[in-house]
Amino acid sequence: ATTEIYTRSLVGSVRCVQETGINAEYMGIIKQDHTMDYSTIGNEFLKLYYGKYDISRADLQVLYSSNSMLSYDGTTFQGVPAIMEKLMSFPKVRHNVLSVDMQPTIGGGVICFVCGDLFVDESPNPIKFSEVFNIVANPTGGFYCLNNIFRLNISQIDHLHSNQLQTIPVSYTHLRAHETLRYLVCRLLLEKKKRNR
């Protein structure tokens, strides 16, 4: 019952912003309910955010305000117009959230750390991503996204190749320094097997 009421308040707030043209920083997109804990607020926000991102991305503007900031792979955008211009520049994507960590913040807000897969233009091959949301309360009893940090989880070398830039020489020592524990164990086992032959 709580979730059902909560969902209605989400939709109602969005409709109000769209019909009246009032900025989201005054309306909020989630009405505060003192019976809900921070994880419920965070989960509802993420469900709304990624649902809109994948289906009707233009509607994301109601989740930000004039003082909101987006950091996308090291580049910063502030305010609704700048953030939306960046988000709308991307091709069609689909998010698959794999894990979410949340903590409450001072003032009744929530910070969310998301890890997942990103599918671009119907591709079956996922790209790993991480994203942070700082969801804060406003004076009118709603919530909005104040800080949003996004990173594609690809290495510098993969990033260079994906953008068809020049390759860079990498030494064997450099490669060994970036071995994962799993690959290191496999390599040591193979070397031991060779020695025992």
Side-chain angles (χ1 to χ4, degrees):
T2 302
T3 303
E4 191 173 327
I5 295 171
Y6 193 66
T7 304
R8 279 202 214 88
S9 71
L10 285 171
V11 176
S13 295
V14 171
R15 284 177 180 166
C16 189
V17 172
Q18 290 174 339
E19 291 171 4
T20 63
I22 299 175
N23 192 290
E25 74 176 302
Y26 299 109
M27 290 303 301
I29 53 86
I30 305 174
K31 290 301 178 183
Q32 293 185 40
D33 184 335
H34 296 296
T35 65
M36 295 180 189
D37 61 18
Y38 68 90
S39 61
T40 303
I41 295 171
N43 282 320
E44 289 294 334
F45 180 91
L46 295 176
K47 183 169 66 176
L48 180 65
Y49 182 88
Y50 289 120
K52 288 187 174 298
Y53 199 120
D54 295 352
I55 298 174
S56 54
R57 197 179 306 171
D59 291 339
L60 287 175
Q61 61 184 320
V62 300
L63 307 185
Y64 295 101
S65 73
S66 59
N67 61 339
S68 295
M69 182 175 289
L70 165 68
S71 293
Y72 187 91
D73 274 344
T75 304
T76 301
F77 306 87
Q78 185 163 16
V80 178
I83 292 173
M84 290 308 301
E85 182 179 1
K86 180 61 178 178
L87 296 180
M88 295 301 292
S89 69
F90 300 131
K92 182 180 179 180
V93 299
R94 177 173 61 86
H95 295 83
N96 180 31
V97 175
L98 300 178
S99 66
V100 179
D101 295 295
M102 301 183 196
Q103 291 183 4
T105 59
I106 296 174
V110 187
I111 188 164
C112 305
F113 176 57
V114 180
C115 293
D117 292 331
L118 189 67
F119 298 87
V120 181
D121 284 335
E122 307 297 338
S123 171
N125 302 316
I127 303 172
K128 298 295 182 181
F129 78 93
S130 298
E131 191 160 19
V132 175
F133 298 91
N134 181 23
I135 306 164
V136 299
N138 63 33
T140 62
F143 292 86
Y144 68 97
C145 180
L146 177 61
N147 306 99
N148 185 187
I149 302 172
F150 180 92
R151 278 278 179 182
L152 291 174
N153 296 340
I154 56 177
S155 68
Q156 183 182 16
I157 296 175
D158 291 336
H159 184 68
L160 290 172
H161 285 308
S162 67
N163 288 284
Q164 297 182 341
L165 299 179
Q166 72 277 12
T167 59
I168 55 177
V170 179
S171 68
Y172 177 72
T173 303
H174 178 85
L175 290 174
R176 288 287 298 276
H178 288 274
E179 281 185 320
T180 64
L181 180 60
R182 183 179 63 178
Y183 290 130
L184 179 60
V185 170
C186 290
R187 183 174 58 78
L188 292 175
L189 288 174
L190 285 173
E191 290 178 357
K192 181 179 179 181
K193 185 177 180 181
K194 289 178 182 178
R195 288 195 302 268
N196 293 335
R197 284 181 178 176

